[in-house]
Structures are given as C-alpha cells and as structure tokens.
Amino acid sequence: MGCCAIRSIPHEKLLARVRQSVTDRSVLALIRMWLGAPVEERAGRSGGGQWSRNEQGTPQGGVISPLLANLYLHWFDALFHGPQGPARWADAKLVRYADDMVMLARTWTAELSAYVESKLEGRFGLEINRDKTRVVDVKKERLDSLGYTFRYDRDLKGRRKQYLNVLPSKQVVARRRAEAARDDLDQPEPHAAATACGTAEPEPGRLGELLRLRLCGFQPWEVRPGALPAAAARF
C-alpha cells in the first residue's frame, strides 16, 4: 500500500484543465486572480511579514482547492485505471481525495513507484511531498490518512485471526480534546449555570459519561416521546 501527497499544482496547467470544463471568461478570470493572490508570510505574531505570489499550488484551506485538485487529477485517475495503467497490470486500486491519495496493491513493486512518480512529476508537473509519501505494509504497521488510522488488531474473541480496524487518528483525537477544553473554559461554572437556568446539576456518573462522549467526538442525543413516526416506533 502506498500513501502519496501532492505539494503543489502548476497554475498554467491547472487553468488549461479548468478551461476544458468552464467556458465563462469571467469565472476563469476570477479563478486566475484567486490563484495569483499574494500571500503574507509572517515571522511572528508581532513581527512584519513578506508578501509573495506563488505560481504553483492552491491556497491551503481554500474552499475551492479540493475542487480544482479533483479537476486536475481526474486524468491521473483515468490513466491509472486505463488499459496501460496499474489497475490492469498490477491489479492496483486508487483511493483519492483532492490531492491526497492511497494506492493499494497486494505486492508493491519498484515498477509501481516508477509509474506513479513519472506520471505525477513528469506528465502532470506536480511535486510529491516526500515527507508524507511512503509505502506501508498495513498488516505490520498502521496507516494514517485523512484523519483516520487503519491497522490490523487482534480478534476480540481471542481467535488467532486479525481484523482491519478503522479509528480516528491520534492527531484528530488530540485536536478534538483541545477544542473541548477551550469550549469548557468559555462556559460558566456548572453551579452558576444550573442556578441561572433553574435546573439541577448532573449526577457525577452522568457527567463522566457526557465528558467521555465529548472527548471522543460524539454528542449524546435522546428521543422524546412521540418524536418518532409510528412505523419506526414499532421496532
């Protein structure tokens, strides 16, 4: 299994691909202006920054960045699954979200790596992020991708088999806990809030359960009487 991340997309090739799907000149001009918008790089919180214009890549976190990446890399998907692609001669699978992709094969070979690098860096003019790109044997080590961890765990019933487990990555869990801690700091004291609302404080056991659900990223919910349709209430 190979995990690959793209660092930058050349603007001219990207715009040429966009023009194949978009004919409105005003929209094309807006996309070009958006890609060429200057970026400020600050030295610190209080220090001044330097302005620069990039000729490659899309703004990090931009709302349209995943869409542009999908437009540009659509042809890589077509080549990968085409008659001469690894999907045919290596029985490989490609899973991609924007510019992050995971390629799966029973046996990863140097030929597969050479194909991916030659197409992405050669034909498409992309730069592969080597720090986030690696080959993983998922049966021996975990794979972190798009906020999830994929790993093989022991069978829950004690059998010798293993099963593929999917769970939130450590980075996502840590971020959610930090967000929950900040939210708790913004909230008033429990006793003061209960007094203001005229409600009783939650029981210690219930409070611990709510906190566990909050830290895990799940919100508890309850069904009020009569809220379900009659057909659903029969089950």
Side-chain angles (χ1 to χ4, degrees), residues 9 11 13 81 92 117 124 126 132 153 179 200 210 212 233:
I9 300 177
H11 288 178
K13 289 188 175 183
H81 294 99
E117 292 178 1
F124 290 89
L126 299 170
K132 296 183 179 180
D153 287 339
E179 292 174 356
L210 292 175
R212 185 186 68 82

Side-chain angles (χ1 to χ4, degrees), residues 14-67:
L14 172 60
L15 289 171
R17 174 64 188 93
V18 173
R19 283 194 292 268
Q20 295 177 349
S21 303
V22 179
T23 58
D24 191 328
R25 293 183 179 181
S26 60
V27 175
L28 293 173
L30 182 61
I31 294 176
R32 180 182 291 275
M33 292 173 58
W34 178 76
L35 289 174
V39 177
E40 182 184 10
E41 298 180 359
R42 293 188 176 183
R45 292 185 177 181
S46 58
Q50 295 182 350
W51 293 88
S52 62
R53 294 181 183 270
N54 296 325
E55 297 181 357
Q56 292 185 338
T58 56
Q60 184 71 22
V63 294
I64 201 175
S65 295
L67 175 60

Side-chain angles (χ1 to χ4, degrees), residues 28-169:
L28 293 173
L30 182 61
I31 294 176
R32 180 182 291 275
M33 292 173 58
W34 178 76
L35 289 174
V39 177
E40 182 184 10
E41 298 180 359
R42 293 188 176 183
R45 292 185 177 181
S46 58
Q50 295 182 350
W51 293 88
S52 62
R53 294 181 183 270
N54 296 325
E55 297 181 357
Q56 292 185 338
T58 56
Q60 184 71 22
V63 294
I64 201 175
S65 295
L67 175 60
L68 294 177
N70 282 333
L71 282 173
Y72 190 71
L73 291 172
H74 167 74
W75 296 115
F76 176 76
D77 300 348
L79 289 174
F80 192 95
H81 294 99
Q84 307 299 325
R88 296 295 182 89
W89 48 264
D91 194 24
K93 311 296 181 183
L94 172 64
V95 181
R96 183 177 62 79
Y97 176 77
D99 55 359
D100 291 319
M101 60 189 73
V102 175
M103 286 154 279
L104 303 94
R106 293 187 179 275
T107 302
W108 192 268
T109 63
E111 187 178 5
L112 267 172
S113 298
Y115 178 90
V116 174
E117 292 178 1
S118 64
K119 290 297 184 288
L120 291 179
E121 295 185 328
R123 181 165 183 173
F124 290 89
L126 299 170
E127 180 184 356
I128 297 177
N129 190 340
R130 305 290 177 179
D131 296 333
K132 296 183 179 180
T133 300
R134 62 193 183 109
V135 178
V136 177
D137 185 353
V138 75
K139 290 187 177 181
K140 297 180 181 180
E141 56 181 317
R142 74 175 191 270
L143 170 68
D144 294 325
S145 179
L146 296 175
Y148 289 92
T149 295
F150 302 84
R151 70 186 185 193
Y152 273 91
D153 287 339
R154 294 181 300 174
D155 186 83
L156 297 178
K157 296 183 179 180
R159 294 171 294 189
R160 300 180 61 181
K161 297 181 179 180
Q162 289 185 327
Y163 71 99
L164 182 61
N165 194 6
V166 182
L167 62 158
S169 64

Side-chain angles (χ1 to χ4, degrees), residues 195-217:
T195 303
C197 298
T199 58
E201 297 182 5
E203 299 178 0
R206 179 58 176 167
L207 182 60
E209 178 66 14
L210 292 175
L211 181 60
R212 185 186 68 82
L213 294 173
R214 180 66 177 275
L215 292 179
C216 292

